[in-house]
């Protein structure tokens, strides 16, 4: 994320908390994240990881893509590759490109993702219960666990599922895995 986008995200996270009338302590308790981390995040002193944003999305009941769309300019109908927002979590080796970002009035979106070998990202619960996903692997291998059931995916494989509980994305290696994730709001 660029500095400007990160600053807008920090402001939006602060706004979401304040709209609910929550203190930093309230949010820390709900998200199971330290108060100091949340404070530094809202002041733009640190960049969020995928796991941290995942926890906040659960608390605020919105997919990560929707949260990021709230801080991005209104996307045009045609989204050129050069203008697609890219977000990297260097700590986990996760890169996310908003191929077809969320748009008001539309329920679906398309994300291209890359996980480096050994990457392991777990989400405790979905940001929106019943969120529909279609995950299509282009290159590499991915082990995706949804609701306690693990699926090993290879190039060309597609896994369709609804998120009701925890999920985990693991790249067993040896190469990066690249996949498309189509998300549809319930």
């Amino acid at each position: 994320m660029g500095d400007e986008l990160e600053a807008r995200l920090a402001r939006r996270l602060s706004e979401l908390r304040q709209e609910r009338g929550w203190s930093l302590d309230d949010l820390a308790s709900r998200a199971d994240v330290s108060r100091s981390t949340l404070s530094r995040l809202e002041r733009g002193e640190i960049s969020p990881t995928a796991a941290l944003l995942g926890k906040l999305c659960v608390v605020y009941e919105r997919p990560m893509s929707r949260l990021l769309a709230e801080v991005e300019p209104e996307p045009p109908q045609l989204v050129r590759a050069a203008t697609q927002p890219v977000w990297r979590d260097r700590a986990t080796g996760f890169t996310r490109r908003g191929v077809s970002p969320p748009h008001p009035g539309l329920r679906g979106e398309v994300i291209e993702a890359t996980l480096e070998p050994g990457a392991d990202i777990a989400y405790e619960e979905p940001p929106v219960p019943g969120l529909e996903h279609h995950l299509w692997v282009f290159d590499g291998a991915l082990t995706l666990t949804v609701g306690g059931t693990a699926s090993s995916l290879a190039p060309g494989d597609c896994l369709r599922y609804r998120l009701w509980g925890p999920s985990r994305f693991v790249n067993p290696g040896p190469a990066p895995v690249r996949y498309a994730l189509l998300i549809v709001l319930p």
Side-chain angles (χ1 to χ4, degrees):
M1 274 194 299
D3 289 342
E4 183 181 324
L5 183 59
E6 284 191 8
R8 288 196 307 258
L9 178 58
R11 283 190 303 272
R12 182 62 184 139
L13 290 170
S14 179
E15 290 168 358
L16 286 168
R17 179 180 56 78
Q18 292 173 21
E19 286 169 6
R20 286 158 178 76
W22 296 343
S23 68
L24 281 170
D25 289 326
D26 293 335
L27 180 57
S29 174
R30 292 171 190 267
D32 193 28
V33 174
S34 77
R35 182 189 188 288
S36 62
T37 296
L38 293 170
S39 177
R40 292 181 66 212
L41 178 63
E42 287 186 7
R43 289 193 315 262
E45 294 175 2
I46 60 170
S47 297
T49 63
L52 175 56
L53 276 183
K55 286 182 174 189
L56 293 174
C57 286
V58 168
V59 171
Y60 293 132
E61 299 178 313
R62 50 181 33 81
M64 188 181 306
S65 52
R66 294 280 168 184
L67 174 63
L68 293 175
E70 291 174 17
V71 298
E72 295 168 352
E74 180 72 23
Q77 293 270 329
L78 174 61
V79 184
R80 302 263 182 216
T83 65
Q84 295 168 358
V86 175
W87 179 72
R88 289 180 178 82
D89 179 356
R90 287 174 178 81
T92 60
F94 175 58
T95 301
R96 176 192 184 284
R97 174 184 298 277
V99 176
S100 177
H103 191 279
L106 299 177
R107 293 185 2 206
E109 63 188 275
V110 180
I111 296 165
E112 177 188 10
T114 303
L115 285 176
E116 295 300 320
D120 185 340
I121 302 173
Y123 299 97
E124 295 177 17
E125 56 186 296
V128 177
L131 195 63
E132 180 180 344
H133 281 188
H134 300 258
L135 190 144
W136 180 22
V137 175
F138 298 130
D139 304 301
L142 178 68
T143 301
L144 177 57
T145 304
V146 178
T149 302
S151 298
S152 295
L153 304 170
D157 292 345
C158 181
L159 182 65
R160 302 179 298 183
Y161 56 96
R162 286 193 182 271
L163 280 174
W164 296 104
S167 59
R168 183 175 178 196
F169 296 71
V170 177
N171 178 352
V177 60
R178 188 173 66 92
Y179 58 90
L181 182 62
L182 290 76
I183 300 173
V184 182
L185 289 171

